[in-house]
Amino acid sequence: MRLWDRLACRWAVVVLIGVVINLVVLVVTPVLRPELNLLEKSLSYYAVGPWGAIQAAAFLALGISSMALGVALLGAQIPSPWMWLIVLLLIISGVASLGLVWYPMDAPGPATILGDAHQTAGTVGGVAQLAAALAFSIAVRTDPAWSGLFMTALVMFLLALVGALLSQVAIWWPHLGVPMGATMRLLVIPLVVLWGLVALRLRRRCA
């Protein structure tokens, strides 16, 4: 096995671990925090207060796995001019996820035109993840080895895009009563599942 292939295989394992952690935390945290309305409260609420370390660990795992996926895809050497952009976007989103841990919701920190540090990190990470998913869909569309994931990647991107748009509606026009918790999960879950499927595909290439 070539060095690049071994690199992709090893980092794909890191991605899968991060995906599993996030999916488990998505299920566990509402049970541990029944006082928070699952449909109304975004994931950031679960990172503060009792059991907050669990959601913070999920954000940390998400950041590490995003960057690991970028390295793994680089190692996979998919022949597409989009791959370098995908790698860059995944690394940016990974760093932004680490920012969610460093600057929890309502914590003091630098502000930007996007909001406070936490909101900025979340917005940058979400946009980067969406752009990476779209670019990945385009990159694999005509690749014989990866085209089987094209429709899945496209559907997951579209679901996440709807979640992102509805989340922005909930932020900008709170009087409309759009359930932020539900829309945020609609953004996060399809992307986590997509990258988990990509990591599984990378692992199968190692067999």
Side-chain angles (χ1 to χ4, degrees), residues 33-130:
R33 301 289 303 277
E35 77 279 9
L36 296 178
N37 188 315
L38 174 67
L39 297 181
E40 296 292 339
K41 299 300 183 182
S42 66
L43 301 179
S44 296
Y45 282 89
Y46 293 87
V48 295
W51 304 101
I54 295 178
Q55 184 60 57
F59 286 149
L60 178 64
L62 182 63
I64 294 172
S65 61
S66 293
M67 292 184 283
L69 181 61
V71 177
L73 286 173
L74 192 62
Q77 296 183 302
I78 299 173
S80 170
W82 290 93
M83 288 313 301
W84 283 103
L85 176 61
I86 296 168
V87 170
L88 176 62
L89 289 168
L90 286 171
I91 292 174
I92 290 173
S93 69
V95 173
S97 293
L98 299 182
L100 295 176
V101 180
W102 190 260
Y103 296 109
M105 189 175 61
D106 296 329
T112 72
I113 59 173
L114 299 176
D116 63 19
H118 184 83
Q119 186 173 349
T120 298
T123 301
V124 170
V127 171
Q129 282 276 345
L130 284 169

